[in-house]
Amino acid sequence: MNELKFENALKSSRAYNILKRDIESGLSHAYMLVTPDDEAAYNFFMLAACTLFCASKTACGECPECLKTLHRNHPNVVWLNLNREQIKVEDIRELTQSAFIKAFDDNPKVYFVLCADQMNAAAQNKLLKTLEEPPQGVTVFLGVSNASAVKDTIISRCRIIYLDVFDYDAVFSEIMQITQDKELSAAAAACSEGELGKALKIATAPVYLDIYKKSLNLLREMKRSSDIAKFLTPDALPQSPADFLDVLSIILRDMLAAKHDEKLVLSKHVKDEIIDLSRKFSERALAEIINLIVDAKNKLFFHINIATVLQSLYLSMLEVKYKWR
């Protein structure tokens, strides 16, 4: 069964409230949901379909209409690009041909296109013709993370809705419901940058929790240059250096925030440790180390040896830490 995820967070979003009002008053013929979070977009679209066809218009998840939608076998709900790959003109041709076939029950028909910014030029031109003369009772939803990749002529024919990223508490609550693991949910929420899909990926990939712990351990135990060697052994090197640097920079931003106002700390479920760590670094040192991590990411992009990049980073971190005490 395809369950609806992130329901509480999505239902409380501004984007959902805009769409719900439209459902009550009458849907437009086309919408563009703009969000960097593909997984949240999928679940938002699922929630939209449930709300539209639900017997009580509440997306109850239990009525026959909701169950058909959640199982992706509702006759009036069509999904395109569930694999989230490039969309070709043949894919859009199938959509447009289907759109002109009237629903047998006279209910609306809705089409959800995931990662619509992956349409090639021919596919976009094909879709544009349908949006210019939309069939009655049909609504097309486009999910995009990069609106600049979509033709202006398509954008101009869509009602634009922005699904903003979520705050720490909302992400933590949603992941906690799925994992029932407080530490894992805290790490996922802290490292998600407000994206529900990214948080879920982190929570379901144990390597991310390991990265989070290694990052905290590095900041806690690296006190002198002689300590660096133990963080460069084959077992200590991160499996995913780019993710490691992302997590490390997020923790450092938390530490920087802790110096100003505890309420700003993302990692509130480990805030005592974050606050304690922040006392060991000056504000200037934290800001400079974050810049050093950006430089290290650039070096990794150019395929410089991982151990070499991290050794240089760790030495520079220690230098900055003690220079700006």
Side-chain angles (χ1 to χ4, degrees):
M1 179 176 177
N2 294 285
E3 297 180 354
L4 178 64
K5 300 182 180 71
F6 318 137
E7 181 177 358
N8 291 333
L10 292 173
K11 279 188 173 180
S12 66
S13 69
R14 179 175 175 272
Y16 177 70
N17 283 295
I18 291 172
L19 185 60
K20 194 168 187 297
R21 287 195 296 270
D22 280 12
I23 288 174
E24 293 168 355
S25 60
L27 285 173
S28 298
H29 71 278
Y31 290 84
M32 180 176 291
L33 181 72
V34 182
T35 173
D37 191 340
D38 294 341
E39 188 64 23
Y42 169 76
N43 283 280
F44 182 91
F45 286 159
M46 186 68 79
L47 177 61
C50 284
T51 303
L52 179 62
F53 293 106
C54 176
S56 62
K57 299 298 182 185
T58 61
C60 68
E62 298 176 354
C63 71
E65 295 297 308
C66 281
L67 291 175
K68 284 188 287 186
T69 300
L70 290 171
H71 282 90
R72 292 210 301 261
N73 60 11
H74 195 293
N76 291 8
V77 181
V78 181
W79 295 89
L80 181 65
N81 199 28
L82 286 168
N83 293 329
R84 305 172 196 180
E85 299 173 341
Q86 187 182 53
I87 302 172
K88 299 178 181 178
V89 68
E90 293 81 5
D91 303 314
I92 299 299
R93 183 178 293 115
E94 290 181 15
L95 183 155
T96 56
Q97 290 173 348
S98 167
F100 282 95
I101 300 174
K102 190 174 182 180
F104 72 92
D105 53 8
D106 290 326
N107 281 325
K109 290 177 70 175
V110 288
Y111 291 78
F112 295 108
V113 184
L114 298 175
C115 300
D117 44 353
Q118 297 297 313
M119 284 187 288
N120 61 29
Q124 292 196 41
N125 289 332
K126 185 69 176 176
L127 178 62
L128 179 59
K129 293 179 181 178
T130 301
L131 297 183
E132 288 173 338
E133 298 179 9
Q136 187 174 2
V138 169
T139 297
V140 177
F141 289 84
L142 307 176
V144 305
S145 58
N146 179 18
S148 64
V150 181
K151 290 179 178 291
D152 290 341
T153 45
I154 289 179
I155 294 174
S156 67
R157 286 166 174 78
C158 295
R159 177 153 159 68
I160 310 299
I161 299 179
Y162 293 93
L163 181 62
D164 298 325
V165 295
F166 294 86
D167 63 26
Y168 173 90
D169 288 328
V171 177
F172 174 82
S173 177
E174 292 295 339
I175 301 305
M176 186 67 180
Q177 287 185 44
I178 295 170
T179 67
Q180 300 299 310
D181 186 317
K182 185 177 180 180
E183 183 180 24
L184 183 58
S185 299
C191 301
S192 68
E193 299 181 290
E195 295 183 26
L196 293 164
K198 185 174 182 179
L200 182 60
K201 178 182 176 182
I202 291 170
T204 52
V207 66
Y208 278 93
L209 183 58
D210 181 60
I211 288 172
Y212 191 75
K213 291 179 176 179
K214 281 184 176 179
S215 300
L216 287 173
N217 190 50
L218 172 71
L219 293 167
R220 185 171 49 242
E221 295 190 14
M222 195 172 67
K223 300 173 182 177
R224 55 187 65 86
S225 58
S226 58
D227 293 329
I228 290 177
K230 68 181 179 182
F231 294 104
L232 296 173
T233 63
D235 289 339
L237 287 174
Q239 296 179 31
S240 176
D243 290 333
F244 169 73
L245 293 177
D246 282 342
V247 171
L248 186 59
S249 64
I250 290 168
I251 292 173
L252 288 161
R253 289 201 297 270
D254 279 353
M255 291 164 62
L256 196 56
K259 289 187 170 293
H260 295 280
D261 186 341
E262 288 184 27
K263 291 183 293 185
L264 296 177
V265 180
L266 290 172
S267 308
K268 63 192 298 181
H269 290 85
V270 289
K271 68 177 182 180
D272 290 340
E273 183 161 22
I274 294 293
I275 292 170
D276 182 61
L277 277 173
S278 72
R279 296 190 182 108
K280 297 176 171 60
F281 295 78
S282 70
E283 186 174 335
R284 174 71 179 269
L286 289 171
E288 293 212 9
I289 291 172
I290 291 172
N291 288 331
L292 289 171
I293 291 173
V294 173
D295 183 58
K297 288 181 183 179
N298 291 333
K299 290 178 180 177
L300 286 178
F301 180 80
F302 289 104
H303 306 292
I304 299 176
N305 180 269
I306 295 169
T308 301
V309 171
L310 293 183
Q311 181 180 35
S312 175
L313 172 63
Y314 297 160
L315 286 170
S316 298
M317 287 172 61
L318 275 177
E319 181 182 353
V320 166
K321 177 182 178 181
Y322 291 110
K323 179 179 179 180
W324 303 105
R325 302 191 82 164

